[in-house]
Amino acid sequence: MVPGEENQLVPKEIENAAEEPRVLCIIQDTTNSKTVNERITLNLPASTPVRKLFEDVANKVGYINGTFDLAWGNGVNTADTAPLDHTSDKSLLDANFEPGKKNFLHLTDKDGEQPQMMLEDSSNVDDSMHDRFIGPLPREGSVASTSDYVSQSYSYSSILNKSETGYVGLVNQAMTCYLNSLLQTLFMTPEFRNALYKWEFEESEEDPVTSIPYQLQRLFVLLQTSKKRAIETTDVTRSFGWDSSEAWQQHDVQELCRVMFDALEQKWKQTEQADLINELYQGKLKDYVRCLECGYEGWRIDTYLDIPLVIRPYGSSQAFASVEEALHAFIQPEILDGPNQYFCERCKKKCDARKGLRFLHFPYLLTLQLKRFDFDYTTMHRIKLNDRMSFPEELDMSTFIDIEDEKSPQTESCTDSGAENEGSCHSDQMSNDFSTDDAVDEGICLESSSGTEKISKPGLEKNSLMYELFSVMVHSGSAAGGHYYACIKSFSDEQWYSFNDQHVSRITQEDIKKTHGGSSGSRGYYSSAFASSTNAYMLIYRLKDPTRNAKFLEVDEYPEHIKNLVQKERELEEQEKRQREIERNTCKIKLFCLHPVKQVMMENKLEVHKDKTLKEAVEMAYKMMDLEEVIPLDCCRLVKYDEFHDYLERSYEGEEDTPMGLLLGGVKSTYMFDLLLETRKPDQVFQSYKPGEVMVKVHVVDLKAETVAAPITVRAYLNQTVTEFKQLISKATHLAAESMRIVLERCYNDLRLLSVPSKTLKAEGFFRSNKVFVESSETLDHQAAFTDSHLWKLLDRHANTIRLFVLLPEQSPGSYSKRTAYQKAGGDSSNVEDDCERVKGPAGNFKSVDAILEESTEKLKSLSLQQQQDGDNGDSSKSTETSDFENIESPLNERGSSTSVDNRELEQHIQTSDPENFQSEERSDSDVNNDRSTSSVDSDILSSSHSSDTLCNADSAQIPLANGLDSHSITSSRRTKANEGKKETWDTAEEDSGTDSEYDESGKSRGEMQYMYFKADPYAADEGSGEGHKWLMVHVDKRITLAAFKQQLEPFVGVLSSHFKVFRVYTSNQEFESVRLNETLSSFSDDTKITIRLGRALKKGEYRVKVCQLLVNEQEPCKFLLDAVFAKGMTVRQSKEELIPQLREQCGLDLSIDRFRLRKKTWKNPGTVFLDYHIYEEDINISSNWEVFLEVLDGVEKMKSMSQLAILSKRWRPSEMKLDPFQELVLESNSVDELREKLSEISGIPLEDIEFAKGRGTFPCDISVLDIHQDLDWNPKVSTLNVWPLYICDDGAVIFYRDKTEEVMELTEEQRNELMKKESSRLQKTGHRVTYSPRKEKALKIYLDGAPNKEVAQD
């Protein structure tokens, strides 16, 4: 805006209001914890006075104007922090509000007092401008705008204020809108409400909690007298016997009406109201059949509580236009002819007949149900019909009554609920809308229920059947779910109101017409699909009869028991109001206290009234923290505290009698600070904490002893210089200020020497809470550069040292001998070399795996430099060992002659030796607690003679490579195409080849000149770890590599680092092996537990593999056998040869190499069959934590080429209702014809009668024999197996097949139930479900005894 043009752009008087700019105000109510997240939005003309803004806000939130302040919030005009003047006549524009932008305001307490609630309704609000059906209203006189709204999450204060209409809403418990609609309709029915008030509850005869009429009485009294906007219905639903889960069940409002009326009738037996429901809601009709030949008529009398009207006739695309048209169709007779002829008792033969219904008597309160829910037999889904059906405000029912029939002799009413004809209509069938459930599935749960229904003689003439509409229950949504609300006309003022849960608002006749349904334009057959989903579902009319039409009872007409109930409820509401007032004036703030004995920081929540003094708050906090027997009360005080920065902001000296509301800045939902209950010893004095001070924790460093002392706290000012700060610390620590060095730790490991005396603390980077190290000694260390000084090294070590608890393995005799060898090595370093040579063995004996690795290395050399760099980058991007699967290589540190077990502190420069002699590790399966999978492989690796153990078995024979084989056959096969893109995500030797070097680009050892701290002490664990186990408490620099850490542990374990493994223990006691030798311990935290296990660590290129047996026809098809070691470059046949002795010794399986195969395992699913000549890492992707299936063969291996396909087939025999065992088929191609031929060959079924289907889910693709015949996709129309819907591209797919000429066995109900039980038991054991069953709607029931089971306590 250009200065000087403001008056031209926004004149004071605007003739056309539409051209005036508007101001968007967003107000946040910060006065209460329940309203702090609410946003109230007003879109006002720019010329609106500030005074009017306050009035509008007051109306919106329900506060008395003048009892609150409005201040600028974050984001707009932050410089102007003063509250706005609520009496100002300035326009919003003149008050610095910006049109077209968001203007944020905070609604705050005025003078420390919370706003006062409005107690009386404002009667001058224009109700025609209400936001209809839901919510608050635009302010009076304002131009309606879509931007003028209140957020849907209404403020707590608005819930406490009664609606401007004078009516009270009902709170939706979750999905109880259907209940709220019916309850409001009954409340607004004078005859029902008055009759309910006349009934008197006898507490001596029944528990008030389970009495439905009494709880309805209480609810109606609250609806009539409460000052709240909405009240709860939980007491009513509790009397129904419902628990909290019922609130999440949505039901049909007509179903609820019928069930609740039945429950009331049961409760009102033997009372004056026993026949109330029938007198008000029950009508009668005749169900007749008239013979067209002789005129004989058979009939019966039925009663009804509501009339179900069809929206759209069956098979028709055109809906009835009106309720009158639907009523005519309801009584329209049908002709029974042809195969539907009626057997006439007079003619003694089948004759043509007319069948229909006639209304004999209409009730005083007529209920019409519009059957909008139907079933679509095309889609087999329940649907909602949204077609338009109009209904009049006054309905003349005289055209639908049959006077002659009404005067005819009447017999006992028929209660037969099993009428076969569609036209027959009795009370049960009329009420049960398209339900297929048995009668026992819904209704009232009674042990016995009997009785006959009383028929009252109608006394109305035909010309007196004029009804007036007073309730429309509306459903918005679909057949799957939606929302109910009620539009009800008050008989007191003839005004229509919308009762939408807790929101009540006035509406007009136009709003009622909108509930007729349909759409504005014609869309032909699909008009219902495009129509509005909000439409009338139930209509209630009242007979216009001045002699019977009642008015609501006035207060002075209430029975005495209702007057007492009103008084009781008022007292309860006043008590609740007082409690709310106390709650609104209670400060709730976090309270901390460092226990003076346990030295543990305790946390609680202090709730103190704002008028309580600081002294009283200290007493409350003192008791809350249970310090009565620990320390005297006068040794405690409350101080302002910042938990995040661990900063004591200020103390409150001399303010012991100040109210807490004043000290804390008022009652707020959240505070930007906390309170600390500070304690002192009796001989100490509390320090004064002033605002603006900063807290400094000072650690004194002793260079000679190399210790860092516990902190002491001093307080300083940011404007102090370093020199002044030294003087301050000198007084606190008694150190000489002249030789003092101060080091500030600004953040983790960021050490800054305060070397400029005149610099202020603020300039040096001090904040609220700070940590410094001080040292004052007359040493030459002062002259060295800080980063080269002894002080820096000590602080650096202090910052990076962590404490670990290491569990050593149980010692064996071999371990002790090796430890002895280490101890002797302390005197002669050559012994160490000899010992290492003894363990490593002669280089010439590395023949089994090393020979393979050598060839693999040659192949690796052919990789491009770019690939090696990619491997490096991929390695460095991974962090913790829990996800590390790289095989890495690290140098073994040379041992100094001073190394021994007795030397507990080892501080040394880590040096490198020949990197090729250091063995790498590979992580094992995550579940290392499995004793069989861990201990077996450890003992096997250490003692067995299989050829993969290159360290402990020097005499192993060399395994030749399978030269000359066509190893590229897999990569060019179907399987590699299916696995494309997976290679780079697996941990392969190519990735590891360049990632484990201990040398940097300059060729220097990465470990060179690194000062790594390590100190180990024996530790007595609290919990027994078993005989033979020992604990170490290790202080170590977390920048040390895992390889160096293992070397430091060698003297304590008693074996070389290549012969034990490190497992990290997590809080859940899960153990994971740490294998990344060149990574540091930076991910470890203080007090981490580590377990050491004996066992040879994996070499470069080796992988630990879990081997499981595949048993296709067993109940549990996957059985764990053992852990094995496979190496890169090894062939499948070589791995099988190594497995044979392990299988014999550990599993008792004596197998020849040609009688079993290995195949891919993906969870429980068998996959690719590995052929003997396949090479790991070339033809087969292998990774750490890998699993493989071992399958024992019945005969000779049929799989010879990767072009073949191994399928598992299972025959389904419908005539016997059983499945045959699995049989394997080996196909030469992916042709469906070949599959059919193979199936015909093994089964004897003619080729043309073969039908097959692919199994679903995980192996073994179990399915119930009751479902398999129709649930699977039988006989897919495809020619190859690798297309939809089969997608069979790999070995291991499951195929079911059958003979299409074989009929399904017909089962009796008893046989079916028995088979269902057997199948359920079988499939539950395998973890598969019997069949898919969609969630069935829970039947609506009201329990007259207060609970679904008398033995179950009420919710």
Side-chain angles (χ1 to χ4, degrees):
M1 181 180 296
V2 179
E5 295 182 358
E6 182 175 349
N7 294 333
Q8 298 176 10
L9 289 174
V10 188
K12 293 184 178 179
E13 294 183 0
I14 302 178
E15 294 182 3
N16 189 350
E19 297 177 359
E20 181 179 3
R22 302 183 72 85
V23 174
L24 182 64
C25 304
I26 301 175
I27 302 102
Q28 179 185 9
D29 186 352
T30 63
T31 61
N32 190 288
S33 61
K34 296 185 176 70
T35 61
V36 70
N37 293 322
E38 308 300 334
R39 297 293 187 275
I40 301 154
T41 304
L42 295 172
N43 195 2
L44 305 174
S47 59
T48 304
V50 173
R51 169 181 48 80
K52 189 64 176 173
L53 170 66
F54 274 84
E55 293 175 6
D56 291 345
V57 172
N59 289 332
K60 286 280 187 179
V61 298
Y63 293 154
I64 296 176
N65 192 11
T67 64
F68 60 88
D69 279 333
L70 292 178
W72 290 108
N74 294 332
V76 177
N77 296 306
T78 54
D80 188 1
T81 57
L84 299 174
D85 183 3
H86 73 281
T87 62
S88 173
D89 287 323
K90 274 187 178 182
S91 69
L92 297 181
L93 200 62
D94 294 336
N96 297 327
F97 285 77
E98 298 185 46
K101 293 185 179 180
K102 295 179 181 178
N103 297 269
F104 291 92
L105 297 170
H106 282 171
L107 191 153
T108 61
D109 300 336
K110 189 175 183 67
D111 300 326
E113 295 287 335
Q114 280 207 321
Q116 298 178 22
M117 309 294 298
M118 287 184 182
L119 298 180
E120 298 182 0
D121 297 331
S122 55
S123 57
N124 59 344
V125 178
D126 184 5
D127 290 309
S128 65
M129 303 194 61
H130 284 206
D131 184 3
R132 295 182 178 117
F133 301 146
I134 59 170
L137 315 168
R139 64 181 178 83
E140 180 183 1
S142 67
V143 180
S145 170
T146 57
S147 300
D148 191 25
Y149 70 94
V150 172
S151 63
Q152 290 299 312
S153 50
Y154 296 92
S155 68
Y156 183 65
S157 58
S158 66
I159 295 296
L160 299 180
N161 285 332
K162 200 168 185 176
S163 166
E164 294 82 357
T165 62
Y167 290 103
V168 177
L170 294 174
V171 175
N172 191 334
Q173 296 182 39
M175 295 183 178
T176 56
C177 53
Y178 66 98
L179 172 66
N180 293 348
S181 303
L182 180 62
L183 291 176
Q184 291 284 19
T185 298
L186 296 178
F187 173 73
M188 297 294 286
T189 306
E191 292 78 8
F192 186 89
R193 191 204 297 183
N194 295 346
L196 182 65
Y197 281 175
K198 290 176 183 178
W199 175 82
E200 185 173 359
F201 172 68
E202 296 291 341
E203 193 166 352
S204 59
E205 298 179 2
E206 190 178 6
D207 185 355
V209 175
T210 60
S211 175
I212 298 173
Y214 177 67
Q215 294 301 333
L216 282 177
Q217 236 181 33
R218 285 189 62 239
L219 183 76
F220 281 16
V221 165
L222 289 172
L223 285 173
Q224 194 166 352
T225 63
S226 177
K227 296 178 182 179
K228 296 180 182 178
R229 177 178 289 271
I231 58 177
E232 297 280 353
T233 58
T234 48
D235 290 338
V236 174
T237 55
R238 189 178 290 111
S239 71
F240 291 172
W242 295 359
D243 57 20
S244 58
S245 65
E246 287 285 349
W248 295 91
Q249 297 285 337
Q250 190 173 75
H251 294 290
D252 186 277
V253 68
Q254 182 270 341
E255 180 187 17
L256 171 70
C257 182
R258 178 179 60 79
V259 174
M260 193 165 77
F261 281 176
D262 287 348
L264 287 172
E265 284 186 319
Q266 294 291 335
K267 288 286 187 178
W268 276 334
K269 282 183 177 179
Q270 310 302 324
T271 67
E272 184 183 339
Q273 289 76 20
D275 204 36
L276 175 66
I277 301 300
N278 293 337
E279 289 175 357
L280 293 180
Y281 295 95
Q282 182 176 279
K284 294 195 299 293
L285 53 78
K286 176 193 282 188
D287 183 357
Y288 70 92
V289 180
R290 182 187 295 272
C291 178
L292 295 181
E293 293 189 14
C294 67
Y296 172 80
E297 182 176 292
W299 54 273
R300 71 177 184 192
I301 302 297
D302 281 337
T303 60
Y304 63 88
L305 295 178
D306 55 64
I307 303 174
L309 298 180
V310 175
I311 297 290
R312 190 191 297 172
Y314 180 76
S316 172
S317 61
Q318 189 68 35
F320 293 123
S322 64
V323 163
E324 296 95 322
E325 191 176 329
L327 281 168
H328 280 293
F330 185 82
I331 60 174
Q332 179 68 33
E334 62 173 322
I335 302 298
L336 303 180
D337 55 6
N340 294 325
Q341 279 187 323
Y342 166 70
F343 184 84
C344 179
E345 295 182 2
R346 181 180 293 176
C347 299
K348 301 299 180 183
K349 65 173 184 177
K350 286 191 173 183
C351 307
D352 289 351
R354 179 185 293 113
K355 181 183 185 306
L357 299 169
R358 296 193 187 103
F359 288 111
L360 302 181
H361 167 65
F362 288 114
Y364 177 69
L365 296 172
L366 178 65
T367 304
L368 304 179
Q369 181 204 2
L370 309 185
K371 299 184 68 174
R372 292 197 173 273
F373 299 109
D374 205 348
F375 192 81
D376 188 341
Y377 288 94
T378 304
T379 62
M380 301 302 288
H381 284 94
R382 198 180 181 200
I383 60 171
K384 182 182 177 186
L385 303 175
N386 293 313
D387 301 80
R388 177 180 174 80
M389 177 179 277
S390 63
F391 46 86
E393 188 174 1
E394 291 191 349
L395 179 62
D396 185 1
M397 296 297 290
S398 59
T399 57
F400 306 104
I401 195 85
D402 193 319
I403 296 297
E404 296 302 321
D405 276 324
E406 185 178 335
K407 295 178 180 179
S408 63
Q410 296 182 9
T411 62
E412 184 179 358
S413 65
C414 177
T415 58
D416 175 24
S417 62
E420 297 176 358
N421 295 326
E422 185 180 352
S424 65
C425 194
H426 50 83
S427 59
D428 287 338
Q429 189 178 10
M430 294 276 288
S431 300
N432 191 5
D433 183 16
F434 56 81
S435 174
T436 58
D437 295 338
D438 295 333
V440 73
D441 286 340
E442 53 185 332
I444 304 175
C445 286
L446 289 173
E447 294 182 0
S448 61
S449 179
S450 61
T452 58
E453 299 188 13
K454 180 180 177 182
I455 306 174
S456 60
K457 294 276 185 179
L460 295 175
E461 297 298 329
K462 185 171 182 176
N463 57 4
S464 63
L465 293 178
M466 184 65 71
Y467 284 82
E468 61 176 324
L469 179 69
F470 79 95
S471 176
V472 180
M473 288 179 230
V474 182
H475 181 267
S476 176
S478 66
H483 176 64
Y484 285 100
Y485 61 90
C487 301
I488 305 173
K489 183 175 75 172
S490 170
F491 290 112
S492 301
D493 58 5
E494 300 298 317
Q495 170 66 46
W496 281 92
Y497 296 92
S498 166
F499 292 84
N500 191 348
D501 289 337
Q502 58 261 49
H503 311 295
V504 185
S505 57
R506 294 187 184 185
I507 55 176
T508 65
Q509 278 295 336
E510 289 301 314
D511 297 310
I512 300 298
K513 290 180 181 179
K514 292 177 182 177
T515 66
H516 290 180
S519 56
S520 56
S522 176
R523 293 180 181 267
Y525 179 79
Y526 293 103
S527 61
S528 177
F530 294 95
S532 168
S533 65
T534 301
N535 34 54
Y537 181 63
M538 272 185 72
L539 309 174
I540 301 183
Y541 287 83
R542 186 176 77 163
L543 182 68
K544 296 185 71 172
D545 182 1
T547 62
R548 295 188 64 184
N549 294 159
K551 294 184 178 180
F552 296 113
L553 290 177
E554 299 295 334
V555 175
D556 55 354
E557 299 174 330
Y558 286 165
E560 194 62 32
H561 64 274
I562 295 297
K563 291 180 180 178
N564 295 335
L565 183 59
V566 170
Q567 183 62 29
K568 179 181 176 182
E569 294 300 329
R570 281 179 178 169
E571 290 175 358
L572 288 174
E573 190 165 307
E574 285 299 321
Q575 182 180 349
E576 183 184 344
K577 181 180 177 182
R578 288 193 296 271
Q579 187 60 39
R580 282 199 310 269
E581 191 67 25
I582 294 174
E583 185 80 10
R584 291 177 64 241
N585 290 299
T586 299
C587 305
K588 298 177 183 179
I589 188 168
K590 270 188 181 182
L591 175 68
F592 294 89
C593 177
L594 183 65
H595 197 282
V597 177
K598 300 177 183 178
Q599 291 298 304
V600 175
M601 183 65 81
M602 301 181 294
E603 180 181 347
N604 213 319
K605 193 168 200 176
L606 179 64
E607 297 185 4
V608 57
H609 193 276
K610 68 175 184 178
D611 296 333
K612 293 280 186 183
T613 64
L614 176 62
K615 184 178 180 180
E616 292 171 313
V618 171
E619 293 179 10
M620 293 174 62
Y622 176 72
K623 294 177 181 178
M624 187 180 294
M625 292 300 183
D626 295 324
L627 299 179
E628 290 96 330
E629 299 178 2
V630 180
I631 195 170
L633 176 61
D634 58 2
C635 292
C636 302
R637 69 170 180 176
L638 286 174
V639 296
K640 194 175 181 181
Y641 176 61
D642 180 353
E643 179 205 5
F644 182 78
H645 296 101
D646 191 20
Y647 169 56
L648 297 172
E649 293 194 22
R650 62 160 296 186
S651 53
Y652 299 103
E653 286 84 3
E655 300 189 61
E656 288 77 12
D657 297 326
T658 305
M660 290 298 292
L662 207 57
L663 283 180
L664 299 178
V667 180
K668 300 186 181 300
S669 57
T670 56
Y671 291 92
M672 299 301 292
F673 56 90
D674 313 300
L675 291 179
L676 174 74
L677 184 64
E678 191 179 20
T679 61
R680 63 174 174 84
K681 294 179 181 179
D683 57 343
Q684 290 179 331
V685 178
F686 280 125
Q687 185 180 349
S688 176
Y689 308 140
K690 298 178 181 178
E693 292 178 335
V694 294
M695 193 168 70
V696 184
K697 292 184 177 179
V698 180
H699 296 262
V700 177
V701 179
D702 188 337
L703 290 182
K704 291 182 180 180
E706 294 193 343
T707 58
V708 178
I712 60 172
T713 302
V714 300
R715 295 180 71 85
Y717 290 97
L718 292 177
N719 58 1
Q720 281 182 326
T721 63
V722 172
T723 301
E724 294 169 338
F725 185 51
K726 286 183 179 181
Q727 297 293 336
L728 182 65
I729 293 179
S730 178
K731 291 179 182 179
T733 62
H734 307 292
L735 297 177
E738 296 77 15
S739 58
M740 184 181 295
R741 284 186 293 176
I742 302 179
V743 179
L744 170 66
E745 185 179 80
R746 293 188 296 184
C747 56
Y748 168 71
N749 212 21
D750 180 9
L751 302 174
R752 179 187 182 92
L753 181 66
L754 307 186
S755 57
V756 182
S758 60
K759 216 170 184 181
T760 63
L761 299 187
K762 183 176 182 180
E764 290 285 7
F766 277 67
F767 191 55
R768 287 185 167 189
S769 183
N770 309 274
K771 180 179 179 182
V772 299
F773 300 91
V774 299
E775 185 274 331
S776 180
S777 62
E778 303 291 342
T779 63
L780 296 177
D781 196 53
H782 285 250
Q783 301 174 7
F786 177 56
T787 53
D788 296 330
S789 66
H790 188 192
L791 176 61
W792 183 87
K793 292 177 181 177
L794 185 59
L795 295 180
D796 181 67
R797 188 188 79 183
H798 173 77
N800 289 284
T801 298
I802 56 175
R803 182 175 63 182
L804 306 176
F805 293 101
V806 180
L807 176 62
L808 298 175
E810 185 176 357
Q811 298 299 332
S812 63
S815 301
Y816 284 118
S817 64
K818 291 170 185 176
R819 176 175 288 201
T820 304
Y822 258 97
Q823 290 171 342
K824 292 178 180 179
D828 186 2
S829 62
S830 63
N831 290 350
V832 179
E833 298 174 7
D834 295 340
D835 186 62
C836 292
E837 289 299 321
R838 177 183 62 78
V839 179
K840 287 187 286 186
N845 290 333
F846 291 158
K847 294 182 179 180
S848 57
V849 180
D850 284 0
I852 299 167
L853 291 176
E854 188 176 347
E855 275 201 32
S856 302
T857 305
E858 292 299 323
K859 294 175 184 176
L860 288 176
K861 291 179 180 178
S862 63
L863 293 174
S864 67
L865 179 61
Q866 182 61 41
Q867 288 173 316
Q868 294 179 26
Q869 291 173 348
D870 290 344
D872 284 353
N873 295 337
D875 179 82
S876 61
S877 66
K878 300 175 183 178
S879 57
T880 63
E881 67 280 350
T882 57
S883 61
D884 291 333
F885 301 121
E886 306 287 348
N887 294 316
I888 54 178
E889 186 179 17
S890 182
L892 177 64
N893 288 9
E894 292 182 355
R895 290 263 158 217
S897 60
S898 61
T899 304
S900 70
V901 176
D902 297 329
N903 183 7
R904 298 300 182 186
E905 185 171 317
L906 306 173
E907 301 178 23
Q908 59 184 16
H909 297 282
I910 298 177
Q911 300 174 355
T912 61
S913 62
D914 183 5
E916 293 181 0
N917 292 334
F918 192 84
Q919 275 64 36
S920 174
E921 294 185 71
E922 181 57 62
R923 174 182 166 187
S924 67
D925 186 79
S926 61
D927 187 13
V928 298
N929 291 318
N930 187 328
D931 291 335
R932 178 171 57 173
S933 63
T934 303
S935 61
S936 62
V937 68
D938 289 350
S939 60
D940 178 70
I941 290 176
L942 287 171
S943 60
S944 71
S945 59
H946 64 84
S947 58
S948 70
D949 193 344
T950 61
L951 288 178
C952 299
N953 299 287
D955 298 330
S956 303
Q958 182 177 2
I959 300 176
L961 286 172
N963 295 322
L965 295 175
D966 184 13
S967 62
H968 75 280
S969 58
I970 296 183
T971 58
S972 60
S973 70
R974 52 185 164 76
R975 250 155 287 195
T976 297
K977 293 176 183 176
N979 290 328
E980 261 182 37
K982 292 185 180 179
K983 177 96 172 175
E984 59 188 17
T985 65
W986 291 57
D987 296 311
T988 61
E990 282 82 0
E991 290 180 75
D992 293 332
S993 61
T995 61
D996 218 1
S997 173
E998 288 293 314
Y999 297 90
D1000 59 21
E1001 294 177 358
S1002 63
K1004 292 184 179 180
S1005 168
R1006 294 183 183 178
E1008 260 182 39
M1009 302 307 293
Q1010 289 187 353
Y1011 185 72
M1012 297 300 174
Y1013 178 76
F1014 181 97
K1015 181 181 179 182
D1017 296 296
Y1019 172 72
D1022 294 334
E1023 53 186 37
S1025 56
E1027 189 177 348
H1029 289 280
K1030 291 184 179 180
W1031 285 88
L1032 288 178
M1033 181 169 64
V1034 176
H1035 291 84
V1036 63
D1037 193 317
K1038 61 184 176 183
R1039 294 168 296 184
I1040 195 173
T1041 62
L1042 179 61
F1045 179 64
K1046 290 186 67 177
Q1047 291 168 20
Q1048 304 287 11
L1049 289 175
E1050 284 179 354
F1052 306 97
V1053 181
V1055 297
L1056 289 176
S1057 61
S1058 57
H1059 282 68
F1060 65 85
K1061 295 171 285 184
V1062 175
F1063 290 87
R1064 182 174 179 178
V1065 184
Y1066 288 84
T1067 52
S1068 58
N1069 286 330
Q1070 283 186 305
E1071 295 182 355
F1072 290 91
E1073 186 179 357
S1074 298
V1075 297
R1076 299 292 298 274
L1077 297 181
N1078 66 337
E1079 285 202 351
T1080 66
L1081 304 186
S1082 57
S1083 64
F1084 287 63
S1085 57
D1086 266 331
D1087 298 336
T1088 297
K1089 290 184 179 180
I1090 288 175
T1091 300
I1092 304 297
R1093 298 185 188 277
L1094 296 177
R1096 181 181 68 77
L1098 297 177
K1099 289 187 62 177
K1100 176 77 171 179
E1102 289 183 335
Y1103 300 87
R1104 188 164 286 122
V1105 178
K1106 292 179 75 70
V1107 180
C1108 301
Q1109 187 175 2
L1110 177 62
L1111 303 163
V1112 294
N1113 286 310
E1114 296 292 331
Q1115 184 174 344
E1116 182 52 57
C1118 178
K1119 176 185 176 184
F1120 173 78
L1121 293 178
L1122 50 81
D1123 279 328
V1125 176
F1126 292 179
K1128 173 190 171 183
M1130 179 185 284
T1131 65
V1132 172
R1133 186 175 184 86
Q1134 288 170 337
S1135 62
K1136 288 167 65 176
E1137 288 174 349
E1138 292 198 2
L1139 283 174
I1140 289 173
Q1142 299 178 60
L1143 293 169
R1144 186 185 305 113
E1145 294 170 12
Q1146 299 182 36
C1147 309
L1149 291 176
D1150 193 2
L1151 302 173
S1152 65
I1153 196 167
D1154 295 326
R1155 292 303 299 273
F1156 72 95
R1157 65 160 66 131
L1158 299 180
R1159 65 189 305 169
K1160 182 180 178 181
K1161 180 179 183 290
T1162 307
W1163 194 34
K1164 295 182 180 181
N1165 299 310
T1168 308
V1169 174
F1170 299 145
L1171 304 183
D1172 284 353
Y1173 56 80
H1174 288 160
I1175 301 174
Y1176 295 116
E1177 281 297 359
E1178 289 188 8
D1179 304 319
I1180 301 170
N1181 287 333
I1182 185 172
S1183 71
S1184 55
N1185 207 25
W1186 199 51
E1187 296 185 349
V1188 67
F1189 268 131
L1190 181 149
E1191 184 178 13
V1192 179
L1193 301 175
D1194 295 330
V1196 180
E1197 175 65 84
K1198 298 178 182 178
M1199 290 289 291
K1200 303 294 184 183
S1201 168
M1202 290 304 294
S1203 61
Q1204 294 174 308
L1205 195 62
I1207 301 291
L1208 290 168
S1209 65
K1210 181 177 279 196
R1211 180 172 179 177
W1212 157 239
R1213 297 182 183 270
S1215 61
E1216 303 175 37
M1217 298 294 285
K1218 74 173 188 178
L1219 289 161
D1220 287 353
F1222 276 113
Q1223 288 181 280
E1224 186 178 75
L1225 302 177
V1226 177
L1227 307 180
E1228 300 299 326
S1229 67
N1230 59 4
S1231 167
V1232 170
D1233 292 337
E1234 184 184 357
L1235 174 62
R1236 290 179 182 275
E1237 290 172 4
K1238 293 281 187 180
L1239 292 174
S1240 176
E1241 182 182 323
I1242 64 173
S1243 65
I1245 302 174
L1247 189 62
E1248 62 273 10
D1249 295 333
I1250 289 282
E1251 287 187 337
F1252 71 91
K1254 183 184 178 183
R1256 296 174 181 167
T1258 58
F1259 186 82
C1261 306
D1262 273 328
I1263 186 171
S1264 171
V1265 296
L1266 295 170
D1267 302 325
I1268 186 173
H1269 202 72
Q1270 66 272 8
D1271 278 10
L1272 295 183
D1273 297 325
W1274 290 98
N1275 215 27
K1277 306 299 182 184
V1278 292
S1279 59
T1280 58
L1281 300 177
N1282 59 353
V1283 296
W1284 184 87
L1286 297 177
Y1287 285 128
I1288 298 176
C1289 303
D1290 200 359
D1291 302 324
V1294 173
I1295 290 292
F1296 294 98
Y1297 68 97
R1298 68 185 180 189
D1299 185 345
K1300 71 177 182 181
T1301 62
E1302 188 175 347
E1303 296 292 331
V1304 181
M1305 176 193 292
E1306 293 191 9
L1307 301 173
T1308 64
E1309 192 63 31
E1310 184 179 351
Q1311 288 174 324
R1312 179 174 292 276
N1313 290 338
E1314 186 65 27
L1315 189 57
M1316 174 75 79
K1317 290 178 183 178
K1318 289 182 179 178
E1319 287 295 279
S1320 178
S1321 176
R1322 176 178 71 88
L1323 296 178
Q1324 282 176 1
K1325 289 178 182 177
T1326 59
H1328 291 74
R1329 59 190 178 195
V1330 179
T1331 181
Y1332 168 74
S1333 176
R1335 183 182 71 86
K1336 185 179 180 181
E1337 290 185 14
K1338 188 175 180 180
L1340 190 153
K1341 297 182 182 182
I1342 291 178
Y1343 305 93
L1344 298 184
D1345 57 354
N1349 189 331
K1350 292 183 180 181
E1351 297 177 0
V1352 179
Q1354 286 185 359
D1355 183 11

